[in-house]
Structures are given as structure tokens and as C-alpha cells.
Amino acid sequence: MTEPFPKLQPLRALSGRLERLIEGRLWLKVLLALFAGTGFGMLLGPDLALLSPETSHVLAQWVALPGLLFLALIQMIVIPLVFASIIRGLTASESIEKLRQIGLRAVAFFAGTTAMATTIGISLALLIRPGTYVEAYEAASEPLAPASDHPSTLPSLSELPQHVVGMLPTNPLESMVTGQMLQVILFAVVLGVALLSMAPTRSAPLYDLLGSLQDACMTVVRGAMRLAPVAVFGLMARLTATVGLSTLAGMAIYVATVLLGLMILVAAYLVLAALVGGWRPLHFLSRTREVLLLAFSTSSSAAVMPLSMRTAEDDLGVRPATARFVIPLGATINMTGTALYQGVATVFLAQIFGIELAPSSLVLVVVMAVAASIGSPATPGVGIVILAMVLESVGIPASGVVLLMGVDRLLDMSRTSVNVMGDLVACTVLDRLAGHRGAAHGGSEREKTTAAST
């Protein structure tokens, strides 16, 4: 039988090779969708102006529908997954002493790296001075409210005990419904420690029930991951169509400063993973590229939390007990990329408004960035909310964040990837400090399973 359209045969062969290339490579599908979505968004966006703004807006919203469904589907099961994973991670520990050891190390690791990230951001902003590249009249074109119009978010010394008590949920179900991640985690920790203190025969039924809940959530995640490339395409198309590439030009130095800081932070993470975890930098990046690309696309460490746990266990060889405790905890309190961004943005806005920040104010920014990261929701755009609180603490008008909104989405995507990398590095480092030699030394769980089956 002859080929009906012989001139299309080379095109079909190329398509077949491309299909074989991306088969089973989620990271490559996501990367292709990322570029394709950006290109399609340019066709809809204000740079080319091929369509009217109203038509472009409607098309961008519909194109983004798969991405919005993907995020909604993941966020729907985040609370039960976090709850079940933390309790099972805690009860998988051999003793309360080992649990206390890894918990204290995890909190110390996240607090230390967050302080380091904020210091890097402040230092770069003081060195590069990106605020001097923005004309004063551009900042003045936005309505700015004085900082005194906003109540202070810092509790007084007398209010601090009540503030600490308020971190514990009086109604755990209400905390789950309203998405109060820190309270959900604290409830899970208390329940997990209680189960660990009980006799195994008494705790086994609830432990098994939570295991089934966790497996059901992961089944939903595996189904949702099939939507990931289409979701990334739609979200990137809407972003580009809404913002436009030309909008980024006026804030180029500020954006470059934040990205440079994030690159330095990534290098520090890779050095830490190499020195403590035994991972070669390129090897570590190749094992984690899928989850990092997805984090970049979705701007939500909560959305990629299930994939982060799977990556830690299967590709990095981290013990499930460590991964299922550290990853949910890190998604809630580990905001190193966000903290670095806050350091740069605070100094940037201070330079624009002509506010001189004393050394004590810079120290306060570091403390506030570390404190504000605890309990912050791992969802897109939360960095702007946290930044407003940090600005108020040092006397900078919080309404100045409107100057950053045009480029925040790009930076939000970048810092989320760094946050997720920090969670994965923490898993490998803490697991190694606990005496477990992971995939860097003995092969990943996925590779061991494949080898065993062959």
C-alpha cells in the first residue's frame, strides 16, 4: 500500500522521534509546555497586540483552565496528605528520642538557611543598589499610604504568650477547613507523638487507616500529574498574555538582583548536598529536575509536595520516615527563596523612597523574614503578603508593593523552585546525619526496584 501523502513522511518521522524522546520524561514535557505556553501567550499578549484586550483576556482565562483544575485538584488533597504523612512519618521513627532529634535538626536547618538567604538578599541589594535605577516619579505615580496607617503586626511582649498559645488549634477540623497549615501540622505532630507513645497493638488501627488515606491521596496525585504539561502550558500562556514581556524591562536590575541571589542560594544548597549528603551537583539536579520544573510552573510548593515526597524517596533514596516528616514541614516553614526576595525587595523599596535603613532595621528584616515564613501558606503570591508585613516592621510604606506586582509572578516562580530544592536538600542532609546512606551511595529505591525485577 502506497503512502497517501509522501511529502508528509519526513514530518511524521520527526513527530515519531519526538514522541519517543518525551515518552516517560515528565520533566521534558513540562519544559516543552513551558516554552510553548510562553510563545502562545505572546501571541495573545499586549506586545504583539494581535487581539483586542477583552478577547485576549477571555482566551487566556480559558487556556489556563487545565492549569487551574490541576492546582485545585492538588490543593484539594494537600491537607489530608500532609496530615497523614506527618503522623506516619513520626510514628515510623524508632523512638521519641530519634523523633526529637530529627525534628530539632529540621527546624534548626530551616531557620538557619532562611536567615542566610535573607542576609544574602540584603547584601546584594546594598551592593547593587537596584532602587537607584528606578526614577522617583515612577514610584510616586502610585498612591502610597504612610506606614503608620497600618497596624504593627509584631506582638508586644505581653501579647507574646497568647500569640504562642494561639498557634495550637482549638478546633483542628476548623483549621483543616480554613487551610491553617501550621495548626494542622502541630495537631498532626501532637497526635503522632501520642501514637508513638502507645502500645503498637492500640495504635495500629489508626496507623493503618492513615496509611490508606495517604495511598488514596497519592493515587489522586498520580492521576493529576497526567495534566501537568497541559496545566503548565495554560498557566504560562495566561501569565505572558496578562503581563507582557515589555513590562519586565523597567524592573530589570531589580529582577536580576533577585535572580542572582537565588542562584547563589542554589549554589549553597548544592555545596551542602555535596559535603553532607554526598551528592554531585549535576547528579542531584538531574534527579530533582521534574519537581523543580513543576514548582517553577505552578509557583506553589504545596502543589508539588506529593511529587517532592516521591522524589525524595524514590530518586534521592531518603527514608520514608524522614521524607514524610521533613517535606510537609518544609513546605510550611521553609521559605528561603521567599526570604531572599524579601530582603532584596525591602532594601529596593527603601532606596526608591529615600529611607535609610539602620543596621538594627536590617537585623529586624532578617528576624521578621524567618518568623514570617513559619505557617505561611505554600500558595502562589504569598510572598507579597509576607513582604507587606516585613515592610511595615521597618517603617516602609507597605503599599509600595504595587511597584513589584508586575514582575512578581516571574520571581514567585523562581523562588518557589528554590524553596522546593531546600526541602529536598534538607531531606538528604538530615537523613545522612541520622546515619542513613541514601541514593548517592547505594542507588535510589526506583533503581533498586528496577534492578531486582530484571
Side-chain angles (χ1 to χ4, degrees), residues 365-388:
V365 171
V366 176
V367 174
M368 284 293 297
V370 174
S373 66
I374 299 176
S376 300
T379 52
V382 71
I384 284 289
V385 178
I386 299 176
L387 176 61

Side-chain angles (χ1 to χ4, degrees), residues 105-449:
R105 285 176 176 175
V107 173
F109 179 92
F110 292 142
T113 52
T114 302
M116 177 189 70
T118 312
T119 304
I120 292 174
I122 291 175
S123 302
L124 282 178
L126 292 173
L127 178 65
I128 299 174
R129 299 187 63 82
T132 60
Y133 294 88
V134 178
E135 295 293 335
Y137 70 84
E138 294 182 16
S141 64
E142 298 289 347
L144 297 176
S148 58
D149 286 354
H150 301 276
S152 174
T153 55
L154 284 173
S156 64
L157 193 59
S158 61
E159 297 172 338
L160 192 57
Q162 188 63 34
H163 184 74
V164 173
V165 173
M167 295 171 64
L168 287 173
T170 56
N171 187 342
L173 292 179
E174 181 183 1
S175 300
M176 293 180 182
V177 171
T178 56
Q180 300 294 325
M181 290 296 295
L182 180 60
Q183 294 187 348
V184 172
I185 284 181
L186 290 177
F187 176 58
V189 168
V190 171
L191 193 57
V193 172
L195 287 176
L196 189 60
S197 305
M198 295 167 55
T201 55
R202 302 291 302 275
S203 61
L206 182 55
Y207 183 80
D208 293 339
L209 176 62
L210 291 172
S212 298
L213 176 62
Q214 188 180 50
D215 291 341
C217 291
M218 293 305 294
T219 302
V220 174
V221 169
R222 283 191 290 270
M225 291 308 297
R226 298 177 183 176
L227 278 176
V230 182
V232 168
F233 173 85
L235 293 173
M236 285 303 302
R238 186 180 67 167
L239 169 64
T240 311
T242 302
V243 176
L245 297 179
S246 60
T247 307
L248 306 179
M251 305 282 286
I253 303 299
Y254 162 71
V255 171
T257 304
V258 176
L259 294 180
L260 176 60
L262 293 176
M263 291 174 62
I264 294 174
L265 188 56
V266 166
Y269 273 139
L270 292 177
V271 169
L272 192 59
L275 294 179
V276 182
W279 283 94
R280 295 190 303 273
L282 293 180
H283 195 199
F284 182 87
L285 290 175
S286 68
R287 292 291 183 91
T288 59
R289 58 193 175 191
E290 288 184 7
V291 67
L292 296 181
L293 278 170
L294 193 59
F296 180 82
S297 306
T298 61
S299 299
S300 173
S301 52
V304 301
M305 189 192 307
L307 184 58
S308 297
M309 286 192 288
R310 193 187 73 181
T311 300
E313 295 176 22
D314 295 348
D315 296 309
L316 301 180
V318 176
R319 288 179 296 182
T322 302
R324 295 173 188 180
F325 174 70
V326 174
I327 291 293
L329 182 66
T332 303
I333 69 173
N334 180 39
M335 303 285 179
T336 49
T338 304
L340 185 144
Y341 150 81
Q342 290 162 4
V344 175
T346 301
V347 178
F348 171 70
L349 291 176
Q351 291 167 353
I352 288 179
F353 296 138
I355 299 174
E356 191 69 27
L357 294 177
S360 59
S361 297
L362 297 178
V363 172
L364 181 60
V365 171
V366 176
V367 174
M368 284 293 297
V370 174
S373 66
I374 299 176
S376 300
T379 52
V382 71
I384 284 289
V385 178
I386 299 176
L387 176 61
M389 184 173 68
V390 175
L391 293 176
E392 289 176 346
S393 68
V394 292
I396 299 175
S399 55
V401 298
V402 297
L403 299 172
L404 313 178
M405 294 299 293
V407 296
D408 183 67
R409 179 63 177 178
L410 172 64
L411 298 180
D412 195 10
M413 297 160 71
S414 303
R415 62 186 182 248
T416 301
S417 294
V418 176
N419 292 342
V420 172
M421 174 180 276
D423 296 342
L424 295 172
V425 170
C427 277
T428 60
V429 168
L430 295 173
D431 207 44
R432 185 70 188 280
L433 291 177
H436 180 242
R437 297 173 66 84
H441 307 277
S444 70
E445 294 299 321
R446 185 181 298 175
E447 289 173 341
K448 291 176 182 177
T449 303

Side-chain angles (χ1 to χ4, degrees), residues 81-113:
L81 179 61
V82 168
F83 182 73
S85 296
I86 287 183
I87 293 178
R88 285 181 60 84
L90 291 173
T91 51
S93 302
E94 298 174 9
S95 64
I96 292 182
E97 178 59 30
K98 284 186 174 291
L99 173 62
R100 184 185 64 82
Q101 188 180 46
I102 190 173
L104 292 177
R105 285 176 176 175
V107 173
F109 179 92
F110 292 142
T113 52

